[in-house]
Amino acid sequence: MSRTAVNRTLLALVGLVLLAGGALLLAGGLDLNHRWHLGLPSDWTVTDPHHAVLAPADRVRWRDAGWWWPSVLAGLAAATLLSLWWLLAQLRRGAVDRIAVPDTDDIPVRVRGAALARAVAEEAEQLPGVSRARVRLLGSARHPRARLALTLEPGAAPGPVLRDLSAGPLTHARTSAGLAVLPAEAVLKVEPGPVPRVR
Amino acid sequence: MSVASPAGTAVAPAVPEQPEAARVRRFWSSRRNTAALVALVVVAAAGALLYEESYIRSGHRAHAWRTWISDQLANRHLDDAWAIAGAAVLCALGLWLLLLAATPGLRRLLPLATADTDGLRAGLSRRAAAAMLRRAALETPGVREADAEVGRRKARVRAVVGFGDPTEVKAALAEHLSAERGRLGLVRPPMVNVKVKGKS
Protein backbone atom coordinates (compact mmCIF):
# COMPACT_ATOMS: atom_id res chain seq x y z
CA MET A 1 0.00 0.00 0.00
CA SER A 2 1.42 3.36 -0.94
CA ARG A 3 2.05 6.06 1.61
CA THR A 4 -0.77 8.10 0.10
CA ALA A 5 -3.25 5.27 0.63
CA VAL A 6 -2.03 4.62 4.20
CA ASN A 7 -2.19 8.31 5.10
CA ARG A 8 -5.64 8.78 3.65
CA THR A 9 -7.03 5.62 5.29
CA LEU A 10 -5.66 6.53 8.72
CA LEU A 11 -6.77 10.16 8.40
CA ALA A 12 -10.27 8.98 7.51
CA LEU A 13 -10.23 6.61 10.49
CA VAL A 14 -9.13 9.32 12.95
CA GLY A 15 -11.67 11.69 11.40
CA LEU A 16 -14.48 9.14 11.82
CA VAL A 17 -13.57 8.53 15.47
CA LEU A 18 -13.48 12.25 16.23
CA LEU A 19 -16.72 12.87 14.35
CA ALA A 20 -18.54 9.99 16.04
CA GLY A 21 -17.32 10.99 19.52
CA GLY A 22 -18.13 14.65 18.96
CA ALA A 23 -21.57 13.83 17.55
CA LEU A 24 -22.42 11.62 20.54
CA LEU A 25 -21.34 14.29 23.05
CA LEU A 26 -23.19 16.96 21.07
CA ALA A 27 -26.31 14.77 20.99
CA GLY A 28 -26.04 14.47 24.77
CA GLY A 29 -25.49 18.17 25.40
CA LEU A 30 -28.33 19.32 23.15
CA ASP A 31 -30.65 16.48 24.26
CA LEU A 32 -31.01 15.34 20.66
CA ASN A 33 -31.91 11.78 21.65
CA HIS A 34 -35.09 13.06 23.29
CA ARG A 35 -35.87 15.82 20.80
CA TRP A 36 -35.23 13.92 17.59
CA HIS A 37 -36.18 10.45 18.92
CA LEU A 38 -32.85 8.97 17.97
CA GLY A 39 -33.58 5.90 20.05
CA LEU A 40 -30.16 5.59 21.68
CA PRO A 41 -30.03 2.88 24.40
CA SER A 42 -31.31 4.43 27.62
CA ASP A 43 -28.34 3.29 29.68
CA TRP A 44 -25.98 5.42 27.55
CA THR A 45 -24.94 8.45 29.55
CA VAL A 46 -25.27 10.71 26.48
CA THR A 47 -29.06 10.39 26.66
CA ASP A 48 -29.14 12.68 29.72
CA PRO A 49 -27.90 16.28 29.26
CA HIS A 50 -27.35 16.67 33.01
CA HIS A 51 -25.01 13.74 33.20
CA ALA A 52 -21.32 14.48 33.63
CA VAL A 53 -19.16 14.14 30.50
CA LEU A 54 -17.28 11.33 32.23
CA ALA A 55 -18.41 10.65 35.81
CA PRO A 56 -15.93 8.96 38.17
CA ALA A 57 -18.36 6.05 38.53
CA ASP A 58 -18.24 5.48 34.75
CA ARG A 59 -14.49 5.92 34.61
CA VAL A 60 -13.77 3.21 37.20
CA ARG A 61 -16.71 0.98 36.28
CA TRP A 62 -14.59 -1.96 35.03
CA ARG A 63 -11.48 -1.21 37.02
CA ASP A 64 -11.87 -4.34 39.17
CA ALA A 65 -12.44 -6.66 36.23
CA GLY A 66 -9.43 -8.81 35.41
CA TRP A 67 -9.32 -7.79 31.75
CA TRP A 68 -9.43 -4.04 32.38
CA TRP A 69 -5.80 -3.11 32.99
CA PRO A 70 -4.27 -5.42 30.38
CA SER A 71 -6.74 -4.15 27.77
CA VAL A 72 -6.16 -0.48 28.61
CA LEU A 73 -2.39 -0.84 28.58
CA ALA A 74 -2.37 -2.97 25.42
CA GLY A 75 -4.71 -0.57 23.62
CA LEU A 76 -2.66 2.49 24.57
CA ALA A 77 0.60 0.75 23.67
CA ALA A 78 -0.81 -0.29 20.29
CA ALA A 79 -2.04 3.24 19.59
CA THR A 80 1.31 4.73 20.58
CA LEU A 81 3.38 2.32 18.49
CA LEU A 82 1.10 2.55 15.46
CA SER A 83 1.10 6.33 15.46
CA LEU A 84 4.87 6.41 16.03
CA TRP A 85 5.31 4.18 12.98
CA TRP A 86 2.93 6.42 11.06
CA LEU A 87 4.89 9.51 12.06
CA LEU A 88 8.24 7.96 11.10
CA ALA A 89 6.79 6.85 7.74
CA GLN A 90 6.29 10.54 6.90
CA LEU A 91 9.99 11.25 7.37
CA ARG A 92 11.10 8.60 4.89
CA ARG A 93 12.03 10.04 1.53
CA GLY A 94 11.23 6.78 -0.23
CA ALA A 95 14.13 7.02 -2.69
CA VAL A 96 15.06 3.65 -4.15
CA ASP A 97 18.60 2.62 -3.33
CA ARG A 98 19.34 0.02 -6.01
CA ILE A 99 17.36 -1.03 -9.04
CA ALA A 100 17.39 -4.71 -9.96
CA VAL A 101 18.07 -5.23 -13.64
CA PRO A 102 15.80 -8.06 -14.79
CA ASP A 103 16.86 -11.01 -17.00
CA THR A 104 20.29 -11.13 -15.42
CA ASP A 105 19.55 -14.04 -13.07
CA ASP A 106 22.96 -15.71 -13.22
CA ILE A 107 24.76 -12.45 -12.42
CA PRO A 108 22.63 -10.16 -10.23
CA VAL A 109 23.04 -6.71 -11.73
CA ARG A 110 21.93 -3.65 -9.86
CA VAL A 111 21.96 0.00 -10.78
CA ARG A 112 22.25 2.68 -8.15
CA GLY A 113 19.00 4.64 -8.05
CA ALA A 114 20.71 7.95 -7.38
CA ALA A 115 23.08 7.48 -10.32
CA LEU A 116 20.24 6.71 -12.70
CA ALA A 117 18.28 9.69 -11.39
CA ARG A 118 21.28 11.97 -11.92
CA ALA A 119 21.71 10.67 -15.47
CA VAL A 120 18.04 11.41 -16.24
CA ALA A 121 18.33 14.90 -14.73
CA GLU A 122 21.49 15.72 -16.69
CA GLU A 123 19.96 14.54 -19.95
CA ALA A 124 16.70 16.37 -19.24
CA GLU A 125 18.57 19.62 -18.68
CA GLN A 126 20.01 19.30 -22.20
CA LEU A 127 16.53 19.29 -23.74
CA PRO A 128 15.48 22.47 -25.52
CA GLY A 129 13.30 24.60 -23.25
CA VAL A 130 14.39 23.01 -19.96
CA SER A 131 16.51 25.10 -17.64
CA ARG A 132 16.58 22.90 -14.55
CA ALA A 133 15.59 19.33 -13.71
CA ARG A 134 15.45 17.52 -10.40
CA VAL A 135 14.81 13.78 -10.54
CA ARG A 136 14.23 11.19 -7.84
CA LEU A 137 13.61 7.50 -8.24
CA LEU A 138 11.03 6.17 -5.80
CA GLY A 139 9.31 2.85 -5.26
CA SER A 140 11.00 -0.52 -4.99
CA ALA A 141 14.04 -2.14 -6.62
CA ARG A 142 11.84 -4.11 -9.02
CA HIS A 143 9.23 -1.43 -9.67
CA PRO A 144 10.92 1.95 -9.59
CA ARG A 145 9.15 5.10 -10.65
CA ALA A 146 10.55 8.51 -11.42
CA ARG A 147 9.48 11.83 -10.03
CA LEU A 148 10.65 14.91 -11.87
CA ALA A 149 10.51 18.61 -11.17
CA LEU A 150 11.25 20.57 -14.31
CA THR A 151 11.76 24.29 -14.63
CA LEU A 152 11.12 25.53 -18.16
CA GLU A 153 12.83 28.47 -19.79
CA PRO A 154 10.59 31.48 -20.32
CA GLY A 155 8.62 31.03 -23.52
CA ALA A 156 8.97 27.24 -23.72
CA ALA A 157 5.81 25.17 -24.22
CA PRO A 158 5.16 22.12 -22.00
CA GLY A 159 3.89 19.82 -24.77
CA PRO A 160 7.11 19.43 -26.83
CA VAL A 161 9.19 19.28 -23.65
CA LEU A 162 7.13 16.36 -22.36
CA ARG A 163 7.42 14.51 -25.68
CA ASP A 164 11.21 15.01 -25.72
CA LEU A 165 11.43 13.96 -22.09
CA SER A 166 9.52 10.76 -22.71
CA ALA A 167 11.38 9.87 -25.90
CA GLY A 168 14.83 10.85 -24.58
CA PRO A 169 15.89 10.67 -20.92
CA LEU A 170 13.06 8.48 -19.65
CA THR A 171 13.33 5.94 -22.47
CA HIS A 172 17.13 5.82 -22.09
CA ALA A 173 16.82 5.25 -18.34
CA ARG A 174 14.23 2.56 -18.89
CA THR A 175 16.26 0.66 -21.48
CA SER A 176 19.58 1.03 -19.68
CA ALA A 177 18.07 -0.44 -16.51
CA GLY A 178 16.33 -3.11 -18.60
CA LEU A 179 12.89 -2.19 -17.27
CA ALA A 180 9.68 -2.92 -19.13
CA VAL A 181 8.04 0.23 -17.80
CA LEU A 182 9.23 3.25 -15.89
CA PRO A 183 6.21 5.23 -14.70
CA ALA A 184 7.04 8.89 -14.24
CA GLU A 185 5.40 11.94 -12.76
CA ALA A 186 6.56 15.40 -13.75
CA VAL A 187 5.70 18.76 -12.26
CA LEU A 188 6.45 21.74 -14.48
CA LYS A 189 7.26 25.25 -13.46
CA VAL A 190 8.34 28.21 -15.55
CA GLU A 191 11.38 30.26 -14.80
CA PRO A 192 10.55 33.91 -14.30
CA GLY A 193 12.39 35.82 -16.94
CA PRO A 194 12.55 39.05 -18.87
CA VAL A 195 9.85 39.48 -21.47
CA PRO A 196 10.98 40.68 -24.89
CA ARG A 197 9.05 43.88 -25.43
CA VAL A 198 7.41 44.62 -28.72
CA ARG A 199 7.43 48.30 -29.49
CA MET B 1 -13.47 25.84 -27.55
CA SER B 2 -11.45 23.26 -29.42
CA VAL B 3 -10.99 23.90 -33.09
CA ALA B 4 -12.55 21.11 -35.11
CA SER B 5 -9.90 19.37 -37.16
CA PRO B 6 -10.75 19.50 -40.87
CA ALA B 7 -10.15 15.85 -41.66
CA GLY B 8 -10.36 12.66 -39.66
CA THR B 9 -13.33 13.66 -37.55
CA ALA B 10 -15.59 11.69 -39.86
CA VAL B 11 -13.93 8.43 -38.82
CA ALA B 12 -14.31 8.97 -35.10
CA PRO B 13 -17.78 9.79 -33.83
CA ALA B 14 -18.19 13.46 -33.10
CA VAL B 15 -17.67 13.38 -29.33
CA PRO B 16 -14.47 15.38 -28.92
CA GLU B 17 -15.07 16.58 -25.34
CA GLN B 18 -16.24 13.37 -23.68
CA PRO B 19 -13.14 11.13 -23.88
CA GLU B 20 -11.01 14.20 -23.24
CA ALA B 21 -12.87 14.91 -20.01
CA ALA B 22 -12.74 11.29 -18.89
CA ARG B 23 -8.96 11.25 -19.14
CA VAL B 24 -8.46 14.01 -16.60
CA ARG B 25 -6.69 12.46 -13.66
CA ARG B 26 -5.88 14.85 -10.89
CA PHE B 27 -2.70 14.59 -8.90
CA TRP B 28 -3.43 13.20 -5.43
CA SER B 29 -1.52 14.67 -2.54
CA SER B 30 0.07 12.19 -0.13
CA ARG B 31 -1.25 14.39 2.74
CA ARG B 32 2.14 14.11 4.35
CA ASN B 33 1.95 17.20 6.57
CA THR B 34 -1.51 16.47 7.92
CA ALA B 35 -0.58 12.85 8.55
CA ALA B 36 2.59 13.88 10.39
CA LEU B 37 0.67 16.37 12.51
CA VAL B 38 -2.14 13.94 13.41
CA ALA B 39 0.36 11.15 14.09
CA LEU B 40 2.37 13.47 16.35
CA VAL B 41 -0.74 14.44 18.35
CA VAL B 42 -1.82 10.81 18.70
CA VAL B 43 1.69 9.70 19.73
CA ALA B 44 1.83 12.43 22.36
CA ALA B 45 -1.66 11.78 23.75
CA ALA B 46 -1.51 7.97 23.73
CA GLY B 47 2.06 7.97 25.01
CA ALA B 48 1.23 10.31 27.89
CA LEU B 49 -1.83 8.26 28.85
CA LEU B 50 0.13 5.02 28.61
CA TYR B 51 2.84 6.44 30.84
CA GLU B 52 0.30 7.75 33.34
CA GLU B 53 -1.73 4.54 33.50
CA SER B 54 1.35 2.40 34.12
CA TYR B 55 2.56 4.99 36.67
CA ILE B 56 -0.73 4.77 38.58
CA ARG B 57 -0.84 1.01 38.17
CA SER B 58 2.57 0.69 39.84
CA GLY B 59 1.15 2.34 42.96
CA HIS B 60 1.92 6.05 42.45
CA ARG B 61 -0.48 8.94 42.78
CA ALA B 62 -1.72 10.50 39.53
CA HIS B 63 -0.01 13.64 38.25
CA ALA B 64 -1.80 16.98 38.54
CA TRP B 65 -2.63 17.23 34.81
CA ARG B 66 -4.34 13.85 34.90
CA THR B 67 -6.35 14.79 38.03
CA TRP B 68 -7.32 18.11 36.45
CA ILE B 69 -8.62 16.41 33.31
CA SER B 70 -10.64 13.79 35.18
CA ASP B 71 -12.06 16.51 37.48
CA GLN B 72 -13.11 18.59 34.49
CA LEU B 73 -14.75 15.58 32.84
CA ALA B 74 -16.51 14.70 36.09
CA ASN B 75 -17.72 18.19 37.01
CA ARG B 76 -18.87 19.46 33.62
CA HIS B 77 -22.28 18.26 32.54
CA LEU B 78 -22.98 17.41 28.92
CA ASP B 79 -25.04 20.60 28.50
CA ASP B 80 -22.26 22.78 29.88
CA ALA B 81 -21.20 25.42 27.35
CA TRP B 82 -17.60 24.16 27.34
CA ALA B 83 -18.70 20.57 26.83
CA ILE B 84 -20.91 21.55 23.87
CA ALA B 85 -18.16 23.72 22.38
CA GLY B 86 -15.67 20.89 22.78
CA ALA B 87 -18.04 18.42 21.13
CA ALA B 88 -18.61 20.85 18.24
CA VAL B 89 -14.83 21.27 17.80
CA LEU B 90 -14.41 17.47 17.73
CA CYS B 91 -17.12 17.20 15.05
CA ALA B 92 -15.52 19.94 12.96
CA LEU B 93 -12.05 18.39 13.23
CA GLY B 94 -13.43 14.99 12.29
CA LEU B 95 -15.22 16.38 9.24
CA TRP B 96 -12.09 18.27 8.22
CA LEU B 97 -9.93 15.13 8.39
CA LEU B 98 -12.52 13.14 6.43
CA LEU B 99 -12.58 15.89 3.82
CA LEU B 100 -8.78 15.89 3.56
CA ALA B 101 -8.79 12.10 3.25
CA ALA B 102 -11.33 12.08 0.43
CA THR B 103 -10.27 15.01 -1.76
CA PRO B 104 -7.26 15.05 -4.12
CA GLY B 105 -5.68 18.28 -2.95
CA LEU B 106 -2.80 19.78 -4.98
CA ARG B 107 -5.12 22.37 -6.47
CA ARG B 108 -2.17 24.36 -7.74
CA LEU B 109 -1.32 21.66 -10.31
CA LEU B 110 -3.21 21.51 -13.61
CA PRO B 111 -2.98 18.13 -15.42
CA LEU B 112 -1.05 18.27 -18.69
CA ALA B 113 -2.08 16.27 -21.74
CA THR B 114 0.29 13.30 -22.05
CA ALA B 115 -1.53 11.10 -24.54
CA ASP B 116 1.55 10.48 -26.70
CA THR B 117 4.03 10.03 -23.84
CA ASP B 118 4.25 6.51 -22.52
CA GLY B 119 3.90 6.09 -18.76
CA LEU B 120 4.47 9.78 -18.07
CA ARG B 121 2.05 11.95 -16.14
CA ALA B 122 2.62 15.63 -15.81
CA GLY B 123 1.16 18.73 -14.24
CA LEU B 124 1.74 22.42 -14.79
CA SER B 125 1.65 24.74 -11.82
CA ARG B 126 -1.03 27.40 -12.04
CA ARG B 127 1.58 30.05 -11.42
CA ALA B 128 3.57 28.80 -14.42
CA ALA B 129 0.44 28.90 -16.59
CA ALA B 130 -0.15 32.47 -15.45
CA ALA B 131 3.45 33.41 -16.29
CA MET B 132 3.01 31.95 -19.78
CA LEU B 133 -0.23 33.86 -20.38
CA ARG B 134 1.26 37.10 -19.03
CA ARG B 135 4.26 36.71 -21.30
CA ALA B 136 2.02 36.13 -24.31
CA ALA B 137 0.00 39.22 -23.42
CA LEU B 138 3.12 41.37 -23.11
CA GLU B 139 4.35 40.15 -26.47
CA THR B 140 1.24 41.53 -28.16
CA PRO B 141 1.96 44.83 -29.92
CA GLY B 142 0.36 47.74 -28.09
CA VAL B 143 0.19 46.12 -24.65
CA ARG B 144 2.16 48.04 -22.08
CA GLU B 145 1.36 46.17 -18.88
CA ALA B 146 -0.28 42.85 -18.28
CA ASP B 147 -1.25 40.72 -15.37
CA ALA B 148 -2.57 37.15 -15.41
CA GLU B 149 -4.26 34.95 -12.87
CA VAL B 150 -5.04 31.31 -13.55
CA GLY B 151 -7.71 29.46 -11.63
CA ARG B 152 -8.58 25.81 -12.06
CA ARG B 153 -11.15 26.51 -14.76
CA LYS B 154 -10.80 30.16 -15.62
CA ALA B 155 -7.95 32.48 -16.34
CA ARG B 156 -8.09 36.24 -16.18
CA VAL B 157 -5.74 38.50 -18.09
CA ARG B 158 -5.75 42.24 -17.53
CA ALA B 159 -3.81 44.40 -19.93
CA VAL B 160 -3.08 48.11 -20.20
CA VAL B 161 -2.84 49.44 -23.73
CA GLY B 162 0.15 51.67 -24.35
CA PHE B 163 -0.46 52.69 -27.94
CA GLY B 164 -2.84 51.91 -30.74
CA ASP B 165 -6.59 51.46 -30.89
CA PRO B 166 -7.75 49.60 -27.73
CA THR B 167 -10.32 47.60 -29.71
CA GLU B 168 -7.73 46.39 -32.19
CA VAL B 169 -5.23 45.67 -29.43
CA LYS B 170 -7.87 43.69 -27.59
CA ALA B 171 -8.67 41.64 -30.69
CA ALA B 172 -4.98 40.93 -31.27
CA LEU B 173 -4.55 40.09 -27.59
CA ALA B 174 -7.49 37.70 -27.61
CA GLU B 175 -6.09 35.93 -30.66
CA HIS B 176 -2.61 35.71 -29.19
CA LEU B 177 -3.93 34.42 -25.87
CA SER B 178 -6.09 31.78 -27.49
CA ALA B 179 -2.99 30.46 -29.25
CA GLU B 180 -1.05 30.53 -25.98
CA ARG B 181 -3.93 28.75 -24.25
CA GLY B 182 -3.41 25.86 -26.64
CA ARG B 183 0.35 25.99 -26.11
CA LEU B 184 -0.15 25.43 -22.37
CA GLY B 185 -0.78 21.79 -23.28
CA LEU B 186 -3.35 21.26 -20.54
CA VAL B 187 -5.91 18.49 -20.62
CA ARG B 188 -8.53 21.09 -19.86
CA PRO B 189 -7.30 24.54 -20.81
CA PRO B 190 -8.90 27.30 -18.75
CA MET B 191 -11.30 29.78 -20.28
CA VAL B 192 -9.36 32.99 -20.78
CA ASN B 193 -11.13 36.18 -19.85
CA VAL B 194 -9.45 39.31 -21.23
CA LYS B 195 -9.88 42.81 -19.86
CA VAL B 196 -8.25 45.76 -21.53
CA LYS B 197 -7.76 49.19 -20.06
CA GLY B 198 -6.81 52.30 -22.06
CA LYS B 199 -3.72 54.32 -21.26
CA SER B 200 -4.21 55.91 -17.86
Side-chain angles (χ1 to χ4, degrees), chain A:
Chain A
M1 209 149 108
S2 72
R3 180 161 73 186
T4 305
V6 170
N7 282 357
R8 287 171 177 274
T9 311
L10 287 177
L11 283 178
L13 189 70
V14 174
L16 268 181
V17 168
L18 290 183
L19 183 62
L24 270 182
L25 289 176
L26 209 55
L30 302 176
D31 200 12
L32 297 184
N33 184 46
H34 183 237
R35 268 193 246 174
W36 292 354
H37 309 287
L38 295 180
L40 296 176
S42 58
D43 56 341
W44 286 19
T45 56
V46 293
T47 52
D48 173 17
H50 300 296
H51 198 280
V53 177
L54 182 61
D58 298 328
R59 185 156 53 86
V60 300
R61 181 182 295 179
W62 296 293
R63 187 168 276 182
D64 296 327
W67 52 265
W68 172 248
W69 283 108
S71 322
V72 166
L73 294 182
L76 286 174
T80 310
L81 288 179
L82 178 71
S83 48
L84 192 62
W85 166 81
W86 191 26
L87 180 63
L88 293 179
Q90 310 309 311
L91 305 178
R92 256 189 319 118
R93 288 180 65 237
V96 59
D97 186 35
R98 297 251 193 288
I99 293 166
V101 179
D103 303 327
T104 51
D105 288 337
D106 30 352
I107 316 163
V109 177
R110 302 191 143 218
V111 180
R112 277 190 51 219
L116 196 60
R118 195 157 351 106
V120 174
E122 275 166 15
E123 200 181 339
E125 284 182 348
Q126 305 297 318
L127 296 176
V130 177
S131 68
R132 239 173 328 134
R134 280 191 304 132
V135 180
R136 284 195 298 154
L137 286 180
L138 311 173
S140 65
R142 296 200 173 276
H143 302 284
R145 57 200 162 84
R147 184 166 294 171
L148 301 92
L150 298 186
T151 309
L152 303 188
E153 282 164 5
V161 168
L162 289 179
R163 272 192 294 279
D164 292 350
L165 183 73
S166 176
L170 288 176
T171 302
H172 296 158
R174 186 171 62 75
T175 49
S176 65
L179 299 164
V181 283
L182 179 61
E185 262 185 26
V187 171
L188 273 62
K189 292 192 296 187
V190 173
E191 189 178 90
V195 177
R197 304 305 302 269
V198 184
R199 290 282 171 196

Side-chain angles (χ1 to χ4, degrees), chain A residues 4 7-8 12 15 22-23 29 49-54 69 80 83-84 87 90 155 158 163 183-186 188 194 197-198, chain B residues 29-30 32 36 43 53 57 73-74 76-79 91 94 100-101 103-104 116 119 121-123 125 135 139 144 183-184:
Chain A
T4 305
N7 282 357
R8 287 171 177 274
H50 300 296
H51 198 280
V53 177
L54 182 61
W69 283 108
T80 310
S83 48
L84 192 62
L87 180 63
Q90 310 309 311
R163 272 192 294 279
E185 262 185 26
L188 273 62
R197 304 305 302 269
V198 184
Chain B
S29 157
S30 69
R32 199 173 153 195
V43 166
E53 292 308 312
R57 186 74 184 129
L73 292 179
R76 301 229 178 250
H77 289 177
L78 284 168
D79 57 358
C91 284
L100 284 181
T103 53
D116 47 355
R121 288 182 64 213
S125 85
R135 183 184 170 86
E139 280 173 354
R144 195 181 63 187
R183 241 169 58 93
L184 291 175

Side-chain angles (χ1 to χ4, degrees), chain B residues 67-144:
Chain B
T67 320
W68 183 83
I69 290 177
S70 43
D71 282 353
Q72 289 293 318
L73 292 179
N75 293 335
R76 301 229 178 250
H77 289 177
L78 284 168
D79 57 358
D80 180 277
W82 282 105
I84 291 180
V89 168
L90 284 186
C91 284
L93 269 179
L95 277 178
W96 179 240
L97 289 184
L98 282 174
L99 191 76
L100 284 181
T103 53
L106 292 180
R107 294 165 58 90
R108 69 196 148 80
L109 276 185
L110 302 172
L112 282 163
T114 50
D116 47 355
T117 51
D118 210 27
L120 173 67
R121 288 182 64 213
L124 182 69
S125 85
R126 264 159 46 184
R127 186 182 286 195
M132 287 178 69
L133 289 180
R134 173 167 185 268
R135 183 184 170 86
L138 285 174
E139 280 173 354
T140 311
V143 172
R144 195 181 63 187

